[in-house]
Amino acid sequence: MAELRVTPLGAGQDVGRSCILLTIGGKNIMLDCGMHMGYNDERRFPDFTYITRTEKLTEHLDCVIISHFHLDHCGALPFMSEMVGYDGPIYMTHPTKAICPILLEDFRKIAVERKGEQNFFTSDMIKSCMKKVVAVNLHQTIQVDDELEIKAYYAGHVLGAAMFHMKVGQQSVVYTGDYNMTPDRHLGAAWIDKCRPDLLISESTYATTIRDSKRCRERDFLKKVHDCVEKGGKVLIPVFALGRAQELCILLETYWDRMNLKAPIYFSLGLTEKANHYYKLFITWTSQKIKKTFVQRNMFEFKHIKPFDRSYIENPGPMVVFATPGMLHAGLSLQVFKKWAPNENNMVIMPGYCVAGTVGHKILNGVRRIEMENKQMIDVRMSVQYMSFSAHADAKGIMQLISQCEPRNVMLVHGEAAKMEFLKKKIRQEFDIGCFNPANGETVNIDTQHNIPVDIALNLLKREASFTGSDPHDPKQPRTLHGALMMKGNKLQLVEPAQAFRELGLEEHQLRFTCTVSVDEGGTVMQTVDKIYNLLKSDLKDSSIQYSSDGSITIQESVLIKVSGDEETKDMLVSWSHQDEELGSYLLQTLRTTFVTT
Amino acid sequence: MDNCCDELGTCFKNAEDATSQENRMNDSQFVKKLSDVFDFFLDIQKPIADDTCLQRLLDILKEKFSDTECKRGSQFIKKACEKIDNLESSIVTFALQLAGQEAQKEGLIVSRHLYETISNKGLWKDISIGTSYFDSLSQVAGTSNGWTWLTEEKDYVEQAVQSLQEDTSLFLHSSARKLITMLLKAQNQLKMDAEERKPGCQVAICHLLSEDIHRELRQAADSPDRPLTLYLENLLSILVSSEGLLQEIYDEEVVHNMLRICLGRRSGSSSLCGEALMKCLCLCQQRGNDRLDDFMKRFLDHSIDGLKQGNVCKYHKLAVKIHQSFKELAVCGELQEKVLLPYSIMLGEPPLPVDSSLLQACRQAMMNKAKCIQLLLHTTDCLPLKDGDLQMMLQLLELTHLRVDVPVADHLSNDIRQNVVDNKRLQLSLLDKIHCNIGSSVPVAIITKALDVIMEIASGTFTDNTLQQNGFDCVLSLLRLLATAPNGSEHLTSYFPLVVRQLDRHLVSTQWENRDTAVEAVIKLASLHNIPAAGALLSSSHILGSAWQCVSDSDSYVRASAIRLIATVVMAPQLCDAFLSQLKQTEADIVHKLTEIIKTDSEAFPRRAAVSSLQAIHSSRGIPEPVVREIFSSMVQAMADFDWEVKANTLDFWQCVCDQKIKSLPSDVPDYVVNLLPSGTKRKLDNGSTLTHDLFVLSQTGFCEAIMSGTEDYDNHVQEKSYKILKNLKGKINDDVDENKLKKLKVENGDETNGSHPVNSEPELSTARLTTVLQLLRDTDIELKLSVLSGSADEYSKNPLALLEDILSEDKDIEDDKFVDCY
């Protein structure tokens, strides 16, 4: 039995700081290398000392795989590669490699704003880290080394998100990262081969939820925005540079076109301008609809959405502004919020989760009076809306993926413990397979079946088929096949012994076993031989039994029975080759029981 | 004046009183809210959605644990003990961590009760509670009373040991190990302080572990095929971090068993055991060199009896470690031969006087690719970079590059050779070693040989970027050596064009990573300009111009690197002149290009680099007169950039401008500034009012506009930097700006900003802005502003009360749709 070992350093029964250590066929792989935004000290990164405290990480890790560009999956990467000192291979898809630095720069800024933070990486470190990354295409098999190969599959969720199939010998594991089984406005649904991995490591953010149609949420969002601007109010949508921002932009752009609305929509630039550029560049990674309409019109070329200038904050009249960062903890979005919050006609829509310690988190928790710097108090009279547009697979989607790839075991990560427990039971019930949900630091060992593939010579198979004759065996039942096992390079071959002798230049020596049974048996020798022949004929119906003119009986070519003696006693000689030891022993035993006892 | 000071003093005192009163009020609010939060914790039934707030609360309480809060904390711990059976698991862990903090500050009275409750109820067996439990006890072990208590109450240590035996969680193991290590450390310290004090209970910890260590080591050594038990791994981990325990368990059997484990056939490394063995050997040496020699004899003999292909890597790794740690050993020569064996086999050196079984085992092992690379990497790691070693490394590096004309030792099996071809890990290790260790004593012949080999390896079109980068780093180090070596300049002349040709090729690579590495290499090459031989070659080469063309690259990182090249080139006037003449451009053209980038480049990296390069030009060569307006105006515009770092870099530029202008004497004012000044101001240059003049000169640059924009920026960091510049300016003025000075300024400049005449012209605008800046200097408490801005943007650091409010607001039902998903 071979073994898979999985230890989450992050994302084990929680969300944030995804980092899962996998040992497959003796290879150590790190799946994602994320950060936790809720902390501003070393706790925000996975504790790499659990991998090794004394030696270089590269000695212990064969590769790192990043599933997508969200910071909870890639935020610790420059720290690990440039500060801790990992210099082995890092794999991610092309869009992830292109977009990752934007998010990492966003994070670096947050670190600067928080002050007193140590151990945060520089812009140059992000670049150095990205230069080490090997970008992969979907469905491209990458040979990491002589034994380990990886393959990426489309995961939806965000641009460039991928599920990875890792294989060493016969062992294989699929890691989903975050994925979405239903297509949305700008991305398609996740898809994977029926690869039957030994283990499927799946996210389980919405483990217990069947999400309502996204269309309803979209309608709700558009209605709220429309109502607000119609009343002359301003709508602030704090977003991170990428992901939801683009999806919401497409939504508003189409709606504005359809409804012929005139209120301006602005998008704050900075590094985010690069984001839209990448959405245009990686159009093949987007949804079918966007790809199809690309020739007539690129969906990311926005007609109604214009770049924002901070002087517009004071402009009278309605407007919609997308501003970074997404949790209202600093920067332009916070500045706009401070200005607009006291006006009850205005609205802020939070399209994603906000970690504790941010203004976004406070207002979502219903706080309506917020203290800003210098003891300045802000009364939040504007409407505060939360609308989750995050694209994760819900319970139904997770079950669908399991059906699709037919794993032998499932491991749930990236979710809440209680919800995982519920889904775990359901998976066990429905699929009758092992399901695990380790906490961070817990190690799960999973035994896998280890088969050794053998090539079988055609003539050997033909011979075997000819033995079956008109009564073929059930093809699903195991059968014994005799031959010589040869090692050729790294492959095993089962061939005819004669062929093996020929190829190896060996001389054949026969090893035969011979035994004589003396019995008191009356009659002639030929009578005894006839008796034995008839006995064998009825006992070994499927075997070839030949009666020779010299009075000997040959069974299956190699077993020989010869009788000699006088009228009173007979000597029955049984001789067989070592290949037919089973048959020889059986015949010997039959003769003994038949003739000695009688 | 005295009155004024008194008033000011009273004013400050009132302000201080008000602040302290406010602080007291906040503290009392905090304590009240804290009680509410603790009550809330005792009642919650389901885990808090985002448990980071529990950690954040602990952080705050750690820093801010006054008597009152401490009292609340103690009450909470007591209540938690009473309600332990109904307490939510995350709250139990919170209470434990709080108990640890409290024990450190206030003693054990309350915390002890919690530990006893957890212990009696067996709750420590739960992974998350157990982890916090041992963490908390580790904090207790750090105090003298706590240590005594823990060593007397043996249960806790036994629980920790029990946890280490079970396959539970890395985190739990780590906490349990931490507790034991803390206790052992404290015990060791105490032993050192007073040798005679060694109560029986303290001995018991060592004794308990010592027995287990002996047993586990024996069992593991006797079963060389089985993986090490988790318990042994944990014990070894404790052993390597506890000197006292090591002394206690040390004997020949332990060392022998450790050696057997290290050389065992089990898969995977036994790095912890190796580390423990090395510590034992240090101890062995401390107790007399004879013992170490005995061990070494056994170790070296080990190669004779039963060294197989399977454990030769482990044997070699250990040999390397011993060789590195004990250089003065009597058997050092013999050991080195064993260490160098993989290199010798690979390079076909004359057979070393090592025993044939080891040679055979090593050769067999090297037939396997992974083992071959491992053996060569270990050897490379420990090679001291003497000339001979460098040559060996170069030979090996040559073998890694697939070329038909490399002579291969006759006896070297093709299988072994194939194992190293194109092996990136080995190539990187060799390049890294050469780059970091190559010294000036290396003969020119070897340097040129190294250049040949490395350039060959780094030159491939599809060469991996990391390899290319390390290769160029090596090549540049070698060129520097060549440039300074006696008789090296001739070789430099012949190699320089080859390097340039390679760089040229990589500058147009299809991969942005390779182009960027090439531009960075050109920047490093340009930094050789101060070596005369290299300087001349650089000046005559076109490579700087080629790299500068990357300013139009499609990738922003590459563009930024090409722009940064300017900052290096301008530092060397001759090089800069040659660079400009090659490009057939003037300095003004380059400045123009940079300002254009600031205005038009769609990405922030090039804009950041352009601002920095302009600053470099400004501080090294001065701004060329024809573009002075352009540069200042673009730097004013850059303050409205969307990227915070562009603005931060721009403020560095304005800081330089401010420093330069304010210290200038009228006679030092450059012509272009005089030309820029309004006519009214020019007249006043002669009236001796230096400060006024300097400020006017500064205002004409756009400084005031830029700095005012910075003070109003939405990025705190930009605001902070702007106020720092203002603070600096105020320091230079060296005087408080009063109303009279402002009035004087207005009259001298003929400025009428009181609204009777509209301000139209650029100089008038500048003067008006100067007045605004001076007003700001006069009216704003910059120190106060800076103290606010330099505070953390983190909501909870700024206002701990907010954290308590957030925790309490969790009480409300969370909408089903609100998920912690991703960011």
Side-chain angles (χ1 to χ4, degrees), chain A residues 7-9 15-17 35-41 43 50 53-55 58-60 70-72 87 97 101 105 108-109 112-115 123-124 126-127 130-133 146 157 178 205-206 209 211 217 240 244 268-271 273-274 277 308-310 327 329 331-332 335 353-359 361-362 364-367 370-375 386 388 390 392 414 416 419 440-443 445, chain B residues 22 26 49-53 55-56 59 127 167-171 174 177 230 237 240-241 269 271-272 275 317 321 369 378 381 424-425 428 465-466 469 512-513 516-517 520 555-557 561 564 601-605 607-608 639-640 642-645 647 709 712-717 720 784-785 788-799 802-803 805-806 809-810 812 815 817-823:
Chain A
T7 313
L9 289 185
V15 175
R17 210 174 26 198
M35 55 149 308
H36 198 305
M37 274 206 168
Y39 295 108
N40 45 16
D41 53 22
R43 286 170 294 182
Y50 287 109
R53 277 179 299 130
T54 51
E55 292 174 318
T58 319
E59 304 253 322
H60 292 263
H70 277 152
L71 288 175
D72 57 330
D87 55 9
K97 182 176 177 180
E105 285 282 340
R108 206 169 65 76
K109 189 189 167 198
V112 171
E113 294 269 358
R114 271 174 168 168
K115 308 280 160 53
S123 214
D124 279 343
I126 297 174
K127 182 173 85 172
M130 286 302 131
K131 281 165 86 172
K132 288 175 189 162
V133 169
D146 292 346
H157 185 61
D178 291 354
T205 319
Y206 296 149
T209 318
R211 301 268 282 167
R217 266 173 285 149
F240 277 108
R244 283 169 208 131
S268 79
L269 292 172
L271 280 168
E273 63 214 91
K274 201 170 171 179
H277 164 71
F308 184 66
D309 186 288
R310 65 181 153 150
M327 297 185 195
H329 48 274
L332 184 62
Q335 199 193 21
Y353 183 73
C354 298
V355 295
T358 58
V359 173
H361 183 259
K362 281 182 100 61
L364 282 179
N365 274 343
V367 178
I370 295 174
E371 189 183 318
M372 296 293 171
E373 70 269 12
N374 211 10
K375 309 285 174 201
Y386 173 81
S388 173
S390 73
H392 291 272
H414 198 283
E416 290 171 39
K419 291 176 181 171
N440 289 330
E442 272 185 77
T443 301
N445 297 308
Chain B
E22 197 180 336
N26 278 349
D50 187 350
D51 65 356
T52 49
C53 53
Q55 291 298 320
R56 299 295 305 270
D59 293 346
I127 290 173
D167 187 0
T168 45
S169 155
L170 291 180
F171 298 170
S174 166
R177 284 200 309 261
L230 210 59
S237 180
V240 294
S241 46
S269 73
S271 56
L272 262 176
E275 210 184 323
K317 189 175 181 180
K321 273 190 177 170
K369 188 173 180 176
H378 290 159
D381 268 355
K424 190 183 141 195
R425 218 175 141 201
L428 283 175
N465 180 256
T466 326
Q469 193 157 342
W512 73 263
E513 295 92 338
D516 189 67
T517 303
E520 282 179 345
D555 185 87
S556 58
Y557 277 137
S561 296
R564 269 200 294 272
D601 201 297
S602 64
E603 293 183 33
F605 303 120
R607 298 200 302 266
R608 289 176 193 173
M639 285 306 296
F642 272 99
D643 181 66
W644 67 282
E645 230 165 338
K647 290 180 281 193
S709 165
E712 289 156 10
D713 199 90
Y714 53 81
D715 276 312
N716 273 9
H717 187 72
E720 189 189 348
L784 181 71
K785 192 82 189 167
V788 172
L789 289 169
S790 61
S792 170
D794 182 79
E795 191 66 14
Y796 298 154
S797 305
K798 280 192 300 193
N799 179 17
L803 172 63
E805 281 163 359
D806 279 358
S809 64
E810 290 270 348
K812 293 165 197 159
E815 290 166 48
D817 206 24
K818 205 185 288 178
F819 278 92
V820 185
D821 45 20
C822 53
Y823 33 82

Side-chain angles (χ1 to χ4, degrees), chain B residues 403-420:
Chain B
R403 261 179 33 185
V404 281
D405 56 340
V406 177
V408 183
D410 293 340
H411 67 278
L412 181 63
S413 150
N414 201 38
D415 286 350
I416 298 185
R417 200 205 144 186
Q418 282 302 319
N419 285 339
V420 297

Side-chain angles (χ1 to χ4, degrees), chain B residues 226-247:
Chain B
R226 281 197 201 151
L228 295 188
T229 61
L230 210 59
Y231 185 38
L232 180 58
E233 298 233 23
N234 280 321
L235 289 174
L236 287 169
S237 180
I238 294 169
L239 197 60
V240 294
S241 46
S242 170
E243 187 75 21
L245 182 63
L246 198 72
Q247 301 233 8

